Amino acid sequence: MNEKQILMIPGPTSIPQRVMNVLGNPAMGHRTDEFSAIIKDVTEKLKKIYRTENDLLLLSASGTGSMEAAVCNFVSPGDKVVVMENGYFSNRWANINRVFGAEVQVIEGAWGVPADPKALADVIAADKDKRVKAVFVTLNETSTGVTHDIPALRNACGDHPAIFVVDAISGMGVVPLETDAWKLDVVVSGSQKAFMLPPGLSFISVSPKAWALHKECKSPSFYFSLSAAKKEYDDKSSTPYTPAANLISGLQESLLMLEEEGLENVQARHRSYRSMIRAAVKALGLTPLADDAYASTAVTAVVKPEGLQVKKIVNTMKDKYNIVIVGGQGKSSEDIFRIGHLGYVTKSDILATVASLEMTLTELGYPCALGKGVAAVQEIMLKG
Amino acid sequence: MNEKQILMIPGPTSIPQRVMNVLGNPAMGHRTDEFSAIIKDVTEKLKKIYRTENDLLLLSASGTGSMEAAVCNFVSPGDKVVVMENGYFSNRWANINRVFGAEVQVIEGAWGVPADPKALADVIAADKDKRVKAVFVTLNETSTGVTHDIPALRNACGDHPAIFVVDAISGMGVVPLETDAWKLDVVVSGSQKAFMLPPGLSFISVSPKAWALHKECKSPSFYFSLSAAKKEYDDKSSTPYTPAANLISGLQESLLMLEEEGLENVQARHRSYRSMIRAAVKALGLTPLADDAYASTAVTAVVKPEGLQVKKIVNTMKDKYNIVIVGGQGKSSEDIFRIGHLGYVTKSDILATVASLEMTLTELGYPCALGKGVAAVQEIMLKG
């Protein structure tokens, strides 16, 4: 039998049937009043999830496209920027900024621990002549399963004029984030994470402070021009170039689902998945990479048991049990495997994943007490 | 009854049920061997449609994203480029080049006629010190319904070292194009046209001559970096950043459909749609904007009858008959209406469109002999 596959990766996540049905609907003209109404509706609903009154713009590109927009619309060649680097994706902030000619000061931290607000405060305090134009941080580092302390990092910048830019791609919706209350100037996220859609659509919010910097920006942008996007949205609830129309229609459905469940319940559900997966791996004698204090609710990175190969764990899970998990990224690719638990994940998915992991590890020569991880999950589920 | 809508616009086009089913399939991990096999398969099949052995890369953005890639990967600030401008979309080439700091020489032509190879040859001949780095042209100008003579334009450049860049977004697949035989260095196209998919995915081919220019290029590119895309494709049949995975899966199905029909039959079908629509509008006493000699097989622009409003024609077609056509673009928005006939269009769609247009025009005060346009279509169909 061709069994259904369970995606337990940190995006793309599984897609609810309701959303799949919309994705499989006939094409729609994207320069019509009906489609403008959809764009307006999803934009307003996204603002509620972002917790913002700032402009919120849709970009027809996957998350990295929005990250590029967050650089090329604000950072000019020669500008100084600061990047908090604690993983594969926060490192991408540095790479994009370098491509656009910025002078990048990287505050490097170990992979698997949170970015250090004190280190950022020191750099900001040392910037007497206010040369730093922007600070780039990551809400949820997908490569390590760490959620960074955004309010503490933002506070470290005080009222320095630099804009504060957050990659919230894998965290938005599943981790609390307060764009306005925390004074976050630019926040990017993407369709294939908590929004339970295929990849190819991303979102970016822009504060008045960021718009002021945008006005001075000398970097080139056309497809990702945020002022072009704002103008079309403000004038016509539309987009300057052809949008990824079926993803936007699907987004309307998935936002409705998130609204029905309630954002707080969505986040509570993700916290419970985190507890279950972490309890299970600990019960099996394994070690999560990140400490409980800052563990992500979207993905758990697990330190690979001695003597086993990450690739074999991942392949066995997939080939024998139809469950897709993933190895590490960049310099940690061989050291950890990662179990995603964000988006459209069910209790059954969690139970099956843990049970299959027990069998996989046993088969590969890491003897587990079969059922022990599952029991740890069950105890949490029963408490409800 | 909520009637199905017929999309008669020059993209997005209707989506075949087979493709919709694939678009509505469950998500798939995009870093898996299965997905790499899909990427490899669609890339190889696209090369056949492009008629090229050059590199062919997928970009997760709509067509304008690939146009930006065709600029920012090759044109450095201060470089001189030449743009053949005969419509709204060829004008976009000039705009993107200006954003990236190029010195743009625009060879302006009237909207509704083909770009003039002689004018291009003169500019190229005058460029004694070979300052021109790239020439930008458009295969099929969607805003006017004109197909430009690409071989003649390419010949006008002779063996000048400038690369020759073609926007084939609305023409690829439906208009003959020979990337290699015609020595086209960079050719871009998009998912929502002949490929019968929703928008959000685009394609770009790159010749060895263009790669050589890319090596010297000083413009910033990250999301649209073609060398990053080539490296990931060559190494792993993959993409450097998260791809629009469900569109790529859908593309595999639509490419299969194009293969089953045969590219020559696809193009013959589009030629017959062109004949039918043009015969019909002429029978109704209307004038197509473009002459028969260079009329597009993808879209027909029709000069608006005196005294009628384009918006009213378009709205009546949609509100009363559920058929979506569209007005002009840019400076010709009020002068013409356009009937798209590319992609997944059937004989019934053509018949219904012409019949509904007759009723619409009659109702709006342009008296048509009802059935006369339809009869003109029928005569061509019967010869079939």
Side-chain angles (χ1 to χ4, degrees):
Chain A
M1 189 182 72
N2 194 354
E3 283 189 359
K4 88 179 160 94
Q5 202 174 58
I6 301 181
L7 279 189
M8 299 295 284
I9 54 178
T13 75
S14 293
I15 303 166
Q17 188 62 48
R18 278 172 63 177
V19 176
M20 285 200 273
N21 291 347
V22 175
L23 293 173
N25 274 346
M28 191 188 261
H30 58 266
R31 301 296 182 219
T32 56
D33 293 343
E34 290 92 322
F35 198 72
S36 286
I38 294 176
I39 289 184
K40 199 171 164 62
D41 181 48
V42 300
T43 302
E44 289 305 318
K45 286 201 170 83
L46 283 170
K47 282 187 183 184
K48 284 186 196 156
I49 294 178
Y50 265 66
R51 310 270 301 155
T52 191
E53 301 289 320
N54 288 340
D55 289 303
L56 188 296
L57 302 162
L58 312 181
L59 294 175
S60 294
S62 63
T64 304
S66 270
M67 290 176 77
E68 176 160 327
V71 174
C72 70
N73 281 277
F74 305 106
V75 178
S76 298
D79 277 359
K80 184 168 174 184
V81 304
V82 174
V83 172
M84 303 302 292
E85 198 266 306
N86 293 70
Y88 185 81
F89 286 101
S90 48
N91 186 42
R92 183 165 289 177
W93 276 136
N95 289 337
I96 300 175
N97 271 289
R98 286 191 195 105
V99 161
F100 282 88
E103 179 191 329
V104 183
Q105 178 166 3
V106 173
I107 302 182
E108 243 182 290
W111 287 30
V113 301
D116 179 9
K118 175 76 174 54
L120 178 57
D122 289 348
V123 167
I124 290 294
D127 184 37
K128 300 285 183 217
D129 47 355
K130 314 289 185 208
R131 281 197 56 225
V132 176
K133 296 284 182 173
V135 174
F136 292 85
V137 304
T138 307
L139 171 60
N140 183 72
E141 176 57 62
T142 311
S143 66
T144 61
V146 167
T147 297
H148 295 288
D149 187 347
I150 300 298
L153 292 165
R154 176 64 190 84
N155 286 341
C157 297
D159 43 20
H160 188 287
I163 62 166
F164 193 85
V165 184
V166 183
D167 164 6
I169 294 172
S170 63
M172 180 61 71
V174 301
V175 176
L177 180 130
E178 296 282 340
T179 300
D180 290 356
W182 296 352
K183 297 185 182 166
L184 312 178
D185 296 301
V186 177
V187 179
V188 306
S189 66
S191 57
Q192 79 277 22
K193 309 287 183 176
F195 300 104
M196 308 179 289
L197 284 165
L201 185 67
S202 51
F203 321 118
I204 186 165
S205 71
V206 184
S207 73
K209 181 174 166 182
W211 282 123
L213 186 61
H214 174 77
K215 280 214 183 87
E216 301 167 13
C217 182
K218 290 181 181 61
S219 289
S221 66
F222 188 89
Y223 188 72
F224 293 131
S225 165
L226 296 176
S227 35
K230 176 174 164 58
K231 186 174 182 330
E232 286 299 307
Y233 182 73
D234 288 351
D235 291 356
K236 306 181 204 158
S237 298
S238 188
T239 56
Y241 318 117
T242 303
N246 88 319
L247 291 178
I248 293 176
S249 299
L251 177 64
Q252 192 176 37
E253 189 68 22
S254 70
L255 287 169
L256 199 61
M257 289 181 68
L258 291 174
E259 204 173 65
E260 287 166 6
E261 184 175 358
L263 193 57
E264 286 188 16
N265 294 329
V266 170
Q267 294 179 355
R269 179 164 58 81
H270 283 83
R271 282 196 297 276
S272 78
Y273 294 159
R274 172 181 61 185
S275 305
M276 292 168 194
I277 293 290
R278 293 176 70 82
V281 298
K282 287 177 188 171
L284 299 178
L286 302 174
T287 313
L289 178 67
D291 191 85
D292 288 351
Y294 40 77
S296 165
T297 57
V299 55
T300 298
V302 182
V303 178
K304 179 204 72 169
E306 280 284 332
L308 264 57
Q309 276 184 294
V310 167
K311 205 175 167 63
K312 283 207 171 157
I313 300 171
V314 170
N315 286 349
T316 305
M317 287 287 283
K318 183 156 141 296
D319 296 343
K320 287 218 153 168
Y321 307 108
N322 262 304
I323 293 175
V324 186
I325 63 170
V326 70
Q329 280 176 298
K331 69 182 183 190
S332 72
S333 24
E334 303 298 326
D335 308 329
I336 56 174
F337 62 90
R338 294 175 299 149
I339 301 171
H341 35 83
L342 93 154
Y344 192 58
V345 170
T346 63
K347 291 193 183 93
S348 307
D349 294 337
I350 300 276
L351 290 164
T353 299
V354 170
S356 302
L357 181 64
E358 291 174 353
M359 294 187 283
T360 296
L361 294 174
T362 299
E363 190 185 331
L364 294 177
Y366 175 87
C368 302
L370 292 175
K372 206 170 163 189
V374 174
V377 172
Q378 289 168 318
E379 274 172 36
I380 298 173
M381 278 189 191
L382 284 172
K383 279 186 214 148
Chain B
M1 189 183 70
N2 194 354
E3 281 188 0
K4 89 179 160 95
Q5 202 173 58
I6 301 181
L7 279 188
M8 298 297 282
I9 54 179
T13 74
S14 293
I15 303 166
Q17 187 64 48
R18 278 172 63 176
V19 177
M20 285 200 271
N21 291 347
V22 175
L23 293 173
N25 274 346
M28 191 188 261
H30 58 266
R31 300 297 182 219
T32 56
D33 293 343
E34 289 92 323
F35 198 72
S36 286
I38 294 176
I39 289 183
K40 198 170 165 61
D41 181 47
V42 300
T43 302
E44 289 305 319
K45 287 200 170 83
L46 283 169
K47 281 186 182 184
K48 284 186 195 157
I49 294 178
Y50 266 66
R51 311 270 301 157
T52 191
E53 301 288 320
N54 288 341
D55 289 302
L56 187 297
L57 302 163
L58 312 180
L59 295 174
S60 293
S62 62
T64 304
S66 269
M67 290 176 78
E68 176 160 328
V71 173
C72 70
N73 281 277
F74 305 107
V75 178
S76 299
D79 277 359
K80 184 168 175 184
V81 304
V82 174
V83 172
M84 303 303 292
E85 199 267 305
N86 293 70
Y88 185 81
F89 286 101
S90 49
N91 186 42
R92 183 165 289 176
W93 275 136
N95 289 336
I96 300 176
N97 271 290
R98 286 190 195 105
V99 161
F100 282 88
E103 179 190 329
V104 184
Q105 178 166 4
V106 174
I107 303 181
E108 243 182 290
W111 287 30
V113 301
D116 179 9
K118 174 78 173 55
L120 178 57
D122 290 348
V123 167
I124 289 294
D127 184 37
K128 301 284 183 218
D129 47 356
K130 313 290 185 207
R131 281 197 56 225
V132 176
K133 296 284 183 176
V135 174
F136 292 86
V137 304
T138 307
L139 170 60
N140 183 72
E141 177 57 61
T142 311
S143 66
T144 61
V146 168
T147 296
H148 296 287
D149 187 348
I150 301 297
L153 293 165
R154 177 63 189 85
N155 286 340
C157 296
D159 44 21
H160 188 286
I163 62 167
F164 193 84
V165 184
V166 182
D167 164 6
I169 293 172
S170 64
M172 180 62 70
V174 302
V175 177
L177 180 130
E178 295 283 339
T179 300
D180 290 356
W182 296 351
K183 296 185 184 168
L184 312 178
D185 296 300
V186 177
V187 179
V188 306
S189 67
S191 56
Q192 80 277 25
K193 310 285 184 177
F195 300 104
M196 308 180 289
L197 284 166
L201 185 68
S202 51
F203 321 118
I204 184 165
S205 71
V206 184
S207 73
K209 181 174 167 183
W211 281 124
L213 186 61
H214 173 78
K215 280 217 183 84
E216 301 167 12
C217 182
K218 290 182 180 59
S219 290
S221 67
F222 189 89
Y223 188 72
F224 293 131
S225 166
L226 295 176
S227 35
K230 176 174 164 58
K231 186 174 181 332
E232 286 298 306
Y233 182 73
D234 288 352
D235 291 357
K236 305 181 204 160
S237 298
S238 188
T239 57
Y241 318 116
T242 303
N246 88 319
L247 291 178
I248 293 175
S249 298
L251 176 64
Q252 192 176 37
E253 189 67 23
S254 70
L255 287 170
L256 199 61
M257 290 180 68
L258 291 175
E259 205 172 65
E260 287 166 6
E261 186 175 357
L263 193 57
E264 286 188 17
N265 295 328
V266 170
Q267 294 178 355
R269 180 164 57 81
H270 283 84
R271 282 195 298 275
S272 78
Y273 294 158
R274 172 181 62 184
S275 306
M276 292 168 193
I277 292 290
R278 293 175 70 83
V281 299
K282 287 176 189 171
L284 300 178
L286 301 174
T287 313
L289 178 68
D291 192 85
D292 288 351
Y294 40 78
S296 167
T297 56
V299 55
T300 298
V302 182
V303 179
K304 179 204 72 167
E306 281 285 332
L308 263 58
Q309 276 185 295
V310 167
K311 206 175 165 65
K312 281 207 171 155
I313 300 171
V314 170
N315 286 349
T316 305
M317 287 289 281
K318 184 158 141 295
D319 296 344
K320 286 217 154 169
Y321 307 108
N322 262 305
I323 293 175
V324 186
I325 64 170
V326 70
Q329 280 176 299
K331 68 183 183 190
S332 71
S333 25
E334 303 297 327
D335 308 328
I336 55 173
F337 62 90
R338 293 175 298 149
I339 301 171
H341 35 82
L342 92 155
Y344 192 59
V345 170
T346 63
K347 291 193 183 93
S348 308
D349 294 336
I350 301 276
L351 290 164
T353 299
V354 170
S356 302
L357 181 64
E358 292 174 353
M359 294 187 282
T360 296
L361 294 173
T362 300
E363 189 185 333
L364 293 177
Y366 176 86
C368 299
L370 292 176
K372 205 170 165 190
V374 173
V377 172
Q378 289 167 318
E379 272 172 38
I380 298 173
M381 277 188 192
L382 283 172
K383 279 185 213 148

